[in-house]
Amino acid sequence: EAPNGDVFVADSKANTVRTYRLTARNAEPSASAVFMNDLYQTYGIAFYPPGDSPEWVYIANSNSVVRYPYRAGDLTAEGSPETVVADIPANHHWTRDVVFSPDGKTMYLSVGSGSNVAEDIGKAPEGGVAAWARDHALGEAWGSETGRAAVWSLTPEGKDKQVFATGLRNCAGMTIQPETGQPWCVVNERDNLGDNVPFEYATRVVKGAWYGWPWYYIGNHEDPRHAGERPDLAGKATLPDVLMQAHSAPLNIVFYEGSQFPGLKGDAFVALHGSWNRRTRTGYKVVLLKFENGKPTGTYEDFMTGFVL
């Protein structure tokens, strides 16, 4: 949502961002338009600088981040796009999300893995695991997975790219917690370990942290498909803040700052789209993550259900 209340919607299949102007609750939009087309698997949208008077709208394609000049009330792009981040690996998990730190100095970009569980990268990179680990972020995988299953940090101009955190198989939704300024991710975990393993999760994204993928999951649980490959990483994975039912497939997260539900202010909504990788359906709903004094309780509850009966 833009600061003036206009709604920007990414249509990933159509490679388009649409805009809608809403005038009253439950009313039809008073105006709608195509903000920009000719994008590529577009997903994340963010306004910059943060606050009430943004000058740019950033759009995350699967393979790049572009930005367009923006003035309050623009329903269509008025200027030419500027590529801010190029050459993002795009195959497999392609849902790139983008958010900014409250001070506007840092852009966070989620880059999902290129596989389920790094099946094809081999047991060691050229030069050996120890040498690789010295020169890369904690837990960062190699080969086709270099820099993936991660959150990157960059300047708003796309400079000074760093791997901010790793081991996040597919951070399909990212936001900033208003109370703390901390980035949060909701993560789709790996498949083919059974109906109830492993948990999906929502978590604070901590600089320098590694969340387990691909060698471990949910703390120090070793993935049997990579047994014995990374004993150097045993016990080093950061445990996520909120565990969610396996294969619920969380897609996005937003902290509630409105007034319609005053008792929920500071809690977070997460949309679950459900997964093919479970014999009994789960997901297909919106859930509410509970917080107390800005800290996650580790619990969540159903908020909106009935999408799949």
Side-chain angles (χ1 to χ4, degrees), residues 34 36 40 44 51-52 70 75 100 117 134-135 142 144 163 178 183 194 196 207 211 216 220 236 255 281 306 309:
V34 173
M36 179 52 61
Y40 184 67
D52 295 332
Y70 176 78
L75 291 177
F100 291 95
V117 64
R134 284 195 299 269
D135 297 332
W142 48 80
S144 61
V163 176
N196 298 302
K207 183 177 182 179
Y211 292 85
Y216 294 81
N220 201 35
K236 294 184 179 179
F255 282 89
R281 289 182 185 270
L309 302 177

Side-chain angles (χ1 to χ4, degrees), residues 7 52 54 68 85 89 93 156 176 199 209 222 272 286-287 304:
V7 177
D52 295 332
Y68 295 84
V85 187
H93 294 130
I176 299 293
F199 295 117
E222 189 174 41
L272 309 178
V286 176
V287 297
M304 187 184 300

Side-chain angles (χ1 to χ4, degrees), residues 51-278:
D52 295 332
S53 302
E55 300 173 2
W56 301 91
V57 58
Y58 282 65
I59 297 174
N61 298 303
S62 64
N63 59 358
S64 67
V65 176
V66 297
R67 68 179 183 180
Y68 295 84
Y70 176 78
R71 294 177 300 174
D74 284 352
L75 291 177
T76 59
E78 297 296 331
S80 300
E82 176 186 347
T83 299
V84 178
V85 187
D87 300 324
I88 301 170
N91 65 308
H92 201 60
H93 294 130
W94 53 266
T95 49
R96 309 283 168 260
D97 209 355
V98 58
V99 297
F100 291 95
S101 61
D103 63 7
K105 294 181 179 180
T106 303
M107 175 172 60
Y108 299 104
L109 176 68
S110 67
V111 181
S113 70
S115 62
N116 176 37
V117 64
E119 296 92 336
D120 299 323
I121 66 170
K123 296 184 182 300
E126 186 177 350
V129 170
W132 174 268
R134 284 195 299 269
D135 297 332
H136 293 80
L138 177 66
E140 184 177 350
W142 48 80
S144 61
E145 297 291 353
T146 301
R148 302 196 65 162
V151 168
W152 298 358
S153 65
L154 310 96
T155 69
E157 296 74 34
K159 309 298 183 184
D160 191 28
K161 186 187 86 174
Q162 306 287 329
V163 176
F164 186 80
T166 60
L168 300 152
R169 177 177 175 268
N170 187 22
C171 171
M174 190 165 49
T175 193
I176 299 293
Q177 185 180 13
E179 270 188 86
T180 64
Q182 184 90 36
W184 274 73
C185 271
V186 287
V187 174
N188 288 199
E189 255 292 357
R190 65 205 76 190
D191 295 318
N192 302 322
L193 286 179
D195 281 3
N196 298 302
V197 179
F199 295 117
E200 319 278 41
Y201 59 85
T203 191
R204 291 169 288 190
V205 183
V206 178
K207 183 177 182 179
W210 169 64
Y211 292 85
W213 189 92
W215 294 282
Y216 294 81
Y217 61 88
I218 312 299
N220 201 35
H221 296 85
E222 189 174 41
D223 192 305
R225 294 163 293 193
H226 290 286
E229 292 181 6
R230 293 299 301 271
D232 58 305
L233 292 175
K236 294 184 179 179
T238 296
L239 192 66
D241 289 292
V242 184
L243 304 182
M244 311 180 81
Q245 189 174 19
H247 311 306
S248 295
L251 263 192
N252 227 317
I253 178 172
V254 62
F255 282 89
Y256 185 65
E257 292 294 299
S259 58
Q260 184 178 1
F261 308 108
L264 306 185
K265 190 169 183 178
D267 292 342
F269 291 108
V270 174
L272 309 178
H273 83 64
S275 173
W276 60 270
N277 188 32
R278 203 171 193 278

